[in-house]
Amino acid sequence: STMNRICRMGCLMSVIFALVFVLGCQGKKGPVSAQSLSRVHFDFDSAAIRPEMISVLEENAGYLKNHSSLSVVIEGHCDERGTNEYNLALGDERAGAVENFLSSQGVSNERLRTVSYGEERPLDAGHGESAWYENRRADFLRQ
């Protein structure tokens, strides 16, 4: 009957929409959810992993080991103090320190890529210690 054909057509359209949505979203790059990988913070003028960040990185490594298809970009960031060139180099060192830590925990280097943004992408536009702390970081993005 006509009603059955309309129902079947509606069902078919729903399935097609769902497939297009799911397939269209695969392979998209974007921020890893906060529940997945946590941001890492650094001390002023340092790329050393802070003692309180070790457990954060261990949890991140565990998540990456349990999600072996996930590859990430580790972004190194700095606060506004220092020259652009210096901060790009420091951001690179910070991203590299995080990459080395994750590798030491068994995460394949082939799944990790690093980039430095220096001071160019602050989380907090303020000019005090709390803003600088937020901006001295390594973030994780899906690759």
Side-chain angles (χ1 to χ4, degrees), residues 76-143:
H77 297 272
C78 300
D79 64 35
E80 65 187 347
R81 298 171 291 176
T83 66
N84 286 339
E85 295 80 13
Y86 180 82
N87 284 335
L88 281 171
L90 182 56
D92 190 54
E93 289 179 39
R94 288 174 173 168
V98 169
E99 178 185 37
N100 290 340
F101 187 94
L102 294 174
S103 294
S104 76
Q105 298 291 303
V107 179
S108 168
N109 276 347
E110 293 177 8
R111 298 173 50 210
L112 305 172
R113 189 170 65 82
T114 62
V115 64
S116 174
Y117 291 108
E119 63 192 73
E120 299 305 314
R121 295 187 177 184
L123 279 181
D124 187 327
H127 303 289
E129 189 52 49
S130 66
W132 294 334
Y133 173 82
E134 289 300 318
N135 295 331
R136 295 189 307 259
R137 69 193 193 280
D139 283 329
F140 300 87
L141 294 177
R142 291 186 191 279
Q143 189 167 310

Side-chain angles (χ1 to χ4, degrees), residues 49-95:
I49 304 296
R50 296 166 57 129
E52 66 272 19
M53 292 291 127
I54 290 174
S55 62
V56 171
L57 283 171
E58 288 172 341
E59 287 179 22
N60 286 353
Y63 183 87
L64 287 167
K65 288 191 284 189
N66 288 331
H67 296 83
S68 59
S69 64
L70 178 63
S71 294
V72 295
V73 177
I74 304 163
E75 296 181 336
H77 297 272
C78 300
D79 64 35
E80 65 187 347
R81 298 171 291 176
T83 66
N84 286 339
E85 295 80 13
Y86 180 82
N87 284 335
L88 281 171
L90 182 56
D92 190 54
E93 289 179 39
R94 288 174 173 168

Side-chain angles (χ1 to χ4, degrees), residues 21-31 142-143:
F21 179 78
V22 169
L23 294 175
C25 290
Q26 287 183 347
K28 298 291 184 199
K29 297 178 184 180
R142 291 186 191 279
Q143 189 167 310

